[in-house]
Amino acid sequence: MYLFTSEVVSPGHPDKCADIIADSIVDAILKQDPNGRVASEVFVAGKHVVIGGEVNAKVDFTHQDYRDIVKESIKKIGYFDNPHFTREQCLHPQDLEVDVFLNQQSPDINQGVDQASGEIGAGDQGIMFGFASCETQHLMPAAITYARMLCDKVYEYALNHPDRFGVDIKTQVTIDYGTKQNFENCAPQRIHTIVVSAPSVDNLSIDEVRSTIKELIDNAGLPANLYDPQNTIIYINPTGRYVNHSSLHDSGLTGRKLIVDSFGGYSPIGGGAQSSKDYTKVDRSGLYAARYIAKNIVAAGLAKKCIVQLSYAIGVAKPTSISVDCMGTNLKSVGDDVLSDFVYENFALTPRWITKKFGLDKPSKDTFLYADVASKGQVGVPSYPWESLDSVELFKKLG
């Protein structure tokens, strides 16, 4: 055996609640002012939500407006004063207390970001990694893909059956690659272990919980060549009772689920979170661009998997470095150095270029909302603009 594991959490997990609240604020500000600058952090503990950070935008939000955003976000997630859970068992929006500590973004940053030429300088220094793998249809690695499928299935059931389940859910999938060589060549052999934890109402027996979730696992659409229900180890609520949940029993903070949000541990990750930040913050836009480049390289057949690293200096538009690493899975004629040079020569990768390419300054229901991205994961969802494969033909010229 050669095993690799990834986990996923649902929007109802307290850390995800913090991310979704933060990105609901980003959405609300950018809808009114596409040039708005936002960097707010959210802390959720018990019945308290604390919002802190910097905003520089042409909006006139009061503290009450921010409180309304918080409560609407929490309700949309699935905490809607559910009568089937007591106010001691999970969060109820009417009990929320919201504190807002938002300041103006420093003019020292502004002078480098919004440049007279119209170019956008990076809102901070940092490194970002994008990754793609041929293991699944949408060029994401296997373990996190299947953990997301399971999490989505159980979360959807919880939303539709609030009399049975709560929305603070975790899933985990272990893939057996058989050998290290198979792992390196993106060849998963089977799903070895599945873990699902989902809160249930007090009067639902553990046997009923496990039976219901096992049925959801079997019907989640896992690939039949990898998932054998008879020979997969499955843990469902392994401690037994799981009733108490939400931020009443586990605090949440923005940016604490970077592995969940990205590639499930298959790739390095950058130093900063995406949620809570506007598009000039390259922790966000740089990840999207790096994922886009890596995905198009793999889709073009130039490698089985690919890591793209970008780095930026605050106030400087062009990346300070670009590197491509296909981990030895390249076509022999197209090395990593060739790919790195090709990306540098053909993609500007400035914050302005990335913003215009993916419409990052115009979140909407018709394109994407940052709050939805926070819910589903920052990469790997085909509808996101940065998941487009419109540069495949360009890369194929190297093949």
Side-chain angles (χ1 to χ4, degrees):
M1 293 187 298
Y2 190 85
L3 307 179
F4 194 92
T5 302
S6 297
E7 72 154 348
V8 169
V9 300
S10 73
H13 185 281
D15 287 333
K16 279 285 107 193
C17 289
D19 287 338
I20 292 165
I21 290 168
D23 276 344
S24 296
I25 292 171
V26 174
D27 285 328
I29 289 173
L30 292 182
K31 283 179 181 178
Q32 290 197 28
D33 181 5
N35 295 314
R37 304 292 178 248
V38 193
S40 63
E41 306 298 339
V42 175
F43 175 49
V44 184
K47 301 173 183 178
H48 300 271
V49 175
V50 180
I51 303 169
E54 297 78 46
V55 171
N56 187 7
K58 295 175 182 177
V59 298
D60 190 23
F61 287 171
T62 66
H63 282 198
Q64 187 57 49
D65 291 326
Y66 287 111
R67 293 185 181 101
D68 291 343
I69 291 171
V70 170
K71 292 190 177 183
E72 286 305 309
S73 300
I74 289 294
K75 288 178 183 177
K76 184 178 178 182
I77 288 166
Y79 295 111
F80 53 88
D81 296 318
N82 185 349
H84 301 287
F85 289 97
T86 70
R87 293 162 96 159
E88 289 72 38
Q89 290 171 342
C90 87
L91 182 65
H92 287 233
Q94 61 183 307
D95 296 335
L96 276 172
E97 297 181 18
V98 182
D99 293 312
V100 181
F101 303 99
L102 291 172
N103 305 304
Q104 285 285 312
Q105 180 173 285
S106 168
D108 296 343
I109 296 176
N110 293 347
Q111 67 182 349
V113 173
D114 298 308
Q115 299 177 3
S117 64
E119 187 54 86
I120 298 173
D124 203 350
Q125 70 177 53
I127 59 172
M128 305 85 221
F129 292 91
F131 181 75
S133 165
C134 66
E135 290 183 0
T136 62
Q137 177 186 359
H138 300 303
L139 304 184
M140 286 285 286
I144 190 168
T145 295
Y146 304 135
R148 282 185 180 176
M149 289 171 64
L150 293 175
C151 196
D152 290 347
K153 188 74 172 180
V154 179
Y155 177 62
E156 180 183 11
Y157 184 89
L159 288 176
N160 291 325
H161 299 84
D163 57 325
R164 292 171 63 83
F165 288 126
V167 295
D168 185 355
I169 298 159
K170 280 188 173 185
T171 58
Q172 186 171 287
V173 169
T174 300
I175 298 290
D176 181 8
Y177 287 84
T179 65
K180 178 69 181 299
Q181 185 177 14
N182 285 338
F183 175 77
E184 291 173 344
N185 286 287
C186 306
Q189 301 298 299
R190 68 186 180 105
I191 294 175
H192 180 276
T193 302
I194 290 171
V195 183
V196 178
S197 295
S200 65
V201 296
D202 220 349
N203 61 1
L204 200 64
S205 72
I206 187 61
D207 289 338
E208 290 179 278
V209 171
R210 287 173 175 163
S211 174
T212 300
I213 293 179
K214 176 60 166 61
E215 186 174 347
L216 293 171
I217 293 171
D218 291 343
N219 294 308
L222 298 174
N225 64 317
L226 297 179
Y227 174 56
D228 179 356
Q230 305 305 316
N231 292 301
T232 299
I233 301 167
I234 299 177
Y235 296 106
I236 299 170
N237 287 14
T239 64
R241 174 185 167 87
Y242 179 23
V243 175
N244 299 306
H245 63 285
S246 79
S247 61
L248 296 186
H249 304 279
D250 180 18
S251 63
L253 186 67
T254 44
R256 245 189 344 203
K257 286 294 176 280
L258 299 186
I259 297 291
V260 169
D261 272 342
S262 56
F263 306 104
Y266 282 82
S267 165
I269 58 172
Q274 289 73 54
S275 287
S276 83
K277 298 168 183 174
D278 70 79
Y279 52 85
T280 67
K281 311 299 189 295
V282 284
D283 288 323
R284 185 191 284 280
S285 52
L287 168 69
Y288 299 164
R291 162 64 178 170
Y292 170 77
I293 297 295
K295 186 177 182 182
N296 277 267
I297 288 172
V298 173
L302 300 181
K304 292 181 179 179
K305 57 184 174 180
C306 178
I307 298 172
V308 174
Q309 189 208 51
L310 305 177
S311 70
Y312 291 86
I314 189 168
V316 179
K318 288 285 288 183
T320 54
S321 68
I322 298 169
S323 71
V324 176
D325 179 4
C326 297
M327 293 160 280
T329 67
N330 319 55
L331 283 177
K332 294 189 184 301
S333 60
V334 186
D336 292 339
D337 51 348
V338 173
L339 285 167
S340 299
D341 289 342
F342 188 80
V343 172
Y344 182 83
E345 291 166 2
N346 289 275
F347 300 89
L349 297 174
T350 65
R352 180 179 176 81
W353 182 90
I354 300 168
T355 298
K356 297 305 178 186
K357 173 72 176 172
F358 304 131
L360 301 186
D361 55 343
K362 297 179 177 63
S364 72
K365 289 183 179 179
D366 296 329
T367 54
F368 71 93
L369 292 170
Y370 287 114
D372 291 340
V373 173
S375 298
K376 299 172 185 176
Q378 298 288 332
V379 293
V381 177
S383 61
Y384 297 166
W386 47 95
E387 294 292 321
S388 166
L389 292 175
D390 59 0
S391 288
V392 168
E393 294 305 316
L394 179 62
F395 278 108
K396 280 184 175 179
K397 293 178 181 179
L398 288 171

